[in-house]
Amino acid sequence: MEALSHTVGPTVAPLRPKRPLRWNWNGFSSVLVQSKKNHPSGICRSAADEISQSARASGLDFNDPDWKSKFQSDFEKRFSLPHITDIFRDATPIPSTFCLRMRTPVTEDFADGYPSDEKWHGYINNNDRVLLKVINFSSPTSAGAECIDRDCTWVEQWVHRAGPREEIYFKPEEVKAAIVTCGGLCPGLNDVIRHIVITLEIYGVKNIVGIPFGYRGFCDKELTEMPLSRKVVQNIHLSGGSLLGVSRGAPTVSEIVDSMEERGINMLFVLGGNGTHAGANAIHNECRKRRMKVAVVGVPKTIDNDILLMDKTFGFDTAVEEAQRAINSAYIEAHSAYHGIGIVKLMGRSSGYIAMHASLASGQIDICLIPESPFNLHGPNGVLRHLKYLIETKGSAVVCVAEGAGQSLIKKTNATDASGNIVLGDVGVLIQQETKKYFKEIGVPIDVKYIDPTYMIRACRANASDGILCTVLGQNAVHGAFAGFSGITVGLCNTHYAYFPIPEVISYPRAVDPNSRMWHRCLTSTGQPDFI
């Protein structure tokens, strides 16, 4: 697959690093950048070190009095949205067929829009922007500081506001829209599918199909596309899973685009995570290369909440809420037993957001372990020594661990799944076994209960918070496609909905900053020490 042409730099600033890494997500090979590097000791480098690296990598000369305007100019170029007029210079817009002032069209021809006695003021201006960062950090040493230079200079960074435009670049009667869901299950998939279909129909689209079982459905002759309409999707949000099914891995980009040409698809909505979005971007680029008038729009689906630049992704709130059941069960088991220890493993391959937020929400966790914060099991400062202290002082303990935590403690197999992801070792089982072994050696009786609710959480129906998020994401995905944008994704940024070029949000997984206020709050809640 094609390599991504744009990258975002380290957390301190969206600047390009010197050495890209080639990762493989969901079968699509992408050039990605390395996020925060750790010292051999496992302790993250200082913010000043990160800023120095970013400055050297970006080529910015901070002694240049105009560096700020040059940075903003570069940022604006990278975050400009690909549009079909980039390829089709003569493409002419038509008045939007999306207007809520009059809901029933007078004629079958939607190209002239919905009649109205007065102009509707519900459209988004193409020059509307959303501020990417809202905190003016005074120092790189401030908790969670994201700085561009050593002085933490405030630099405004604006991204495009999402929503319906007054002019559109597709005639609804000529549109064949397709929806595909890839990767693993996530609460809210059906909600997004439902609102993409409903919004397409409001625009006047009548030819809507679902591609079954991810990208595989484009080329597997045994799988046929599923016709979709409001009647079909009306109640699908009442259950979890995906109406269309999901799968990992994929055919080649050329095969997918060939299939799109054969089917006459000119709008593609892709629901998935980093790897799926890398695929969507590759499809977008191939369509451009072939001069196909196609809009490819992503909707970020990752239960781990690990997509860059966004407040949160759909499914995350539901996962945190459902995790409370497992944590509460572990708590009851631990506190009902003599020297009880409850261990709960939650999702989070490279980002510990679910474990951190679930621990904060429950107030029942004594130890929270995430991939971003290295820890030792053994030794005077290890997890097991602290568990001994908790048993001695409290009589019980509850541990919450993200699936990607502590992988350095587990023997690697180098096996990969269909998406190209390394198969992780089971850190929950490791902690369970090492805990039993440790307490047996010191002669202290314990009762360990291990709970892994992963697949129960993934299969849940979206809660109210995620339901609203999915609704708006689905609607804005359609608005973006009709506005002529392609190779974009939609997300929540500082409580507002915005469009982003896909390469800028998939450069590397978003991760918990061990110096952030939220992680500090979690540590305050659990009372745990450093385990190094």
Side-chain angles (χ1 to χ4, degrees):
M1 294 299 169
E2 296 84 351
L4 301 183
S5 58
H6 296 78
T7 54
V8 172
T11 306
V12 292
L15 304 175
R16 296 176 178 83
K18 286 183 178 177
R19 294 182 299 166
L21 299 179
R22 187 169 294 276
W23 289 1
N24 187 286
W25 279 333
N26 206 24
F28 292 90
S29 179
S30 310
V31 171
L32 309 170
V33 307
Q34 189 166 12
S35 59
K36 297 182 178 179
K37 294 181 181 178
N38 293 338
H39 287 303
S41 63
I43 305 299
C44 288
R45 297 181 303 180
S46 67
D49 287 339
E50 291 282 10
I51 292 169
S52 175
Q53 288 289 327
S54 298
R56 286 196 294 269
S58 68
L60 277 178
D61 179 7
F62 291 116
N63 294 319
D64 182 350
D66 294 326
W67 75 262
K68 185 174 175 180
S69 61
K70 290 178 180 178
F71 175 86
Q72 287 179 310
S73 176
D74 178 68
F75 181 90
E76 186 175 344
K77 289 177 183 176
R78 289 192 294 115
F79 280 79
S80 63
L81 303 178
H83 197 273
I84 63 168
T85 54
D86 299 339
I87 303 298
F88 300 93
R89 302 288 183 180
D90 58 348
T92 55
I94 61 173
S96 177
T97 57
F98 182 87
C99 177
L100 300 183
R101 192 170 292 281
M102 187 172 192
R103 304 307 306 281
T104 306
V106 174
T107 69
E108 290 296 319
D109 184 4
F110 297 98
D112 294 328
Y114 288 84
S116 177
D117 293 335
E118 56 183 288
K119 190 175 181 65
W120 188 53
H121 296 290
Y123 297 115
I124 299 297
N125 191 292
N126 277 330
N127 294 320
D128 288 355
R129 297 290 186 271
V130 174
L131 192 60
L132 187 65
K133 308 292 182 185
V134 294
I135 299 179
N136 185 353
F137 294 101
S138 63
S139 167
T141 60
S142 296
E146 298 179 27
C147 302
I148 297 169
D149 66 335
R150 290 183 180 276
D151 297 324
C152 241
T153 304
W154 170 254
V155 180
E156 293 181 350
Q157 301 168 63
W158 300 95
V159 292
H160 292 252
R161 186 184 179 197
R165 268 52 176 178
E166 194 168 0
E167 294 181 327
I168 59 177
Y169 285 81
F170 290 88
K171 292 184 177 181
E173 65 272 20
E174 297 176 358
V175 168
K176 180 176 182 180
I179 307 170
V180 61
T181 56
C182 306
L185 289 180
C186 177
L189 280 169
N190 281 336
D191 301 65
V192 178
I193 293 169
R194 178 175 182 267
H195 276 279
I196 288 176
V197 172
I198 289 173
T199 310
L200 283 168
E201 287 198 349
I202 290 177
Y203 269 96
V205 178
K206 295 182 178 179
N207 195 355
I208 310 169
V209 298
I211 304 298
F213 300 105
Y215 288 129
R216 180 191 305 274
F218 280 104
C219 299
D220 191 326
K221 300 302 182 183
E222 296 181 359
L223 302 175
T224 57
E225 61 188 31
M226 178 188 300
L228 298 176
S229 65
R230 186 176 190 129
K231 184 177 181 180
V232 173
V233 303
Q234 186 61 46
N235 295 314
I236 63 173
H237 64 300
L238 300 180
S239 62
S242 169
L243 172 71
L244 306 177
V246 295
S247 71
R248 299 187 184 276
T252 65
V253 167
S254 294
E255 290 174 330
I256 292 174
V257 177
D258 287 345
S259 177
M260 290 173 61
E261 278 193 285
E262 292 172 8
R263 299 167 190 250
I265 294 170
N266 53 5
M267 275 191 191
L268 178 62
F269 299 96
V270 181
L271 283 59
N274 287 305
T276 301
H277 272 66
N281 191 63
I283 293 168
H284 156 74
N285 289 332
E286 180 67 16
C287 289
R288 281 193 154 202
K289 187 190 300 183
R290 300 189 190 188
R291 295 187 59 80
M292 294 168 56
K293 187 182 177 183
V294 176
V296 181
V297 179
V299 181
K301 176 234 68 176
T302 167
I303 204 169
D304 293 346
N305 199 35
D306 61 353
I307 299 282
L308 290 173
L309 308 178
M310 300 182 186
D311 295 356
K312 63 179 178 180
T313 50
F314 75 83
F316 174 70
D317 276 353
T318 304
V320 172
E321 182 176 311
E322 289 298 320
Q324 302 307 300
R325 300 174 186 267
I327 291 174
N328 190 53
S329 296
Y331 176 85
I332 292 172
E333 288 284 353
H335 283 256
S336 299
Y338 178 66
H339 290 176
I341 297 176
I343 302 170
V344 179
K345 186 183 77 171
L346 299 177
M347 290 155 290
R349 288 186 58 88
S350 57
S351 303
Y353 284 102
I354 293 179
M356 177 176 69
H357 282 257
S359 297
L360 271 168
S362 72
Q364 298 171 320
I365 297 298
D366 298 296
I367 298 175
C368 178
L369 304 173
I370 61 174
E372 298 87 341
S373 184
F375 63 90
N376 292 323
L377 278 178
H378 300 277
N381 300 316
V383 171
L384 297 176
R385 184 67 174 268
H386 188 59
L387 276 175
K388 178 176 178 289
Y389 168 78
L390 292 170
I391 292 297
E392 291 172 346
T393 56
K394 293 179 58 179
S396 62
V398 183
V399 180
C400 178
V401 57
E403 62 179 317
Q407 291 301 304
S408 61
L409 307 175
I410 306 173
K411 184 177 180 180
K412 293 180 172 58
T413 63
N414 294 322
T416 58
D417 62 17
S419 299
N421 299 314
I422 295 175
V423 176
L424 300 178
D426 196 326
V427 66
V429 170
L430 173 71
I431 293 175
Q432 178 192 31
Q433 292 173 345
E434 291 299 311
T435 299
K436 290 180 178 179
K437 181 180 176 182
Y438 173 79
F439 280 94
K440 182 177 181 180
E441 289 175 351
I442 63 175
V444 177
I446 58 166
D447 189 344
V448 182
K449 295 296 191 297
Y450 174 51
I451 300 174
D452 180 355
T454 298
Y455 294 107
M456 295 175 65
I457 291 174
R458 295 196 332 168
C460 285
R461 170 190 173 186
N463 66 9
S465 174
D466 272 328
I468 294 171
L469 178 60
C470 292
T471 296
V472 184
L473 290 176
Q475 291 175 356
N476 280 324
V478 177
H479 295 320
F482 265 103
F485 299 123
S486 181
I488 67 166
T489 192
V490 58
L492 190 64
C493 178
N494 290 323
T495 72
H496 295 278
Y497 292 87
Y499 294 133
F500 303 90
I502 289 177
E504 299 297 338
V505 301
I506 63 169
S507 298
Y508 54 89
R510 177 177 174 233
V512 175
D513 180 357
N515 190 44
S516 66
R517 285 294 300 123
M518 191 59 75
W519 179 240
H520 292 172
R521 293 175 185 125
C522 185
L523 296 179
T524 301
S525 174
T526 62
Q528 70 192 62
D530 290 331
F531 295 119
I532 296 295

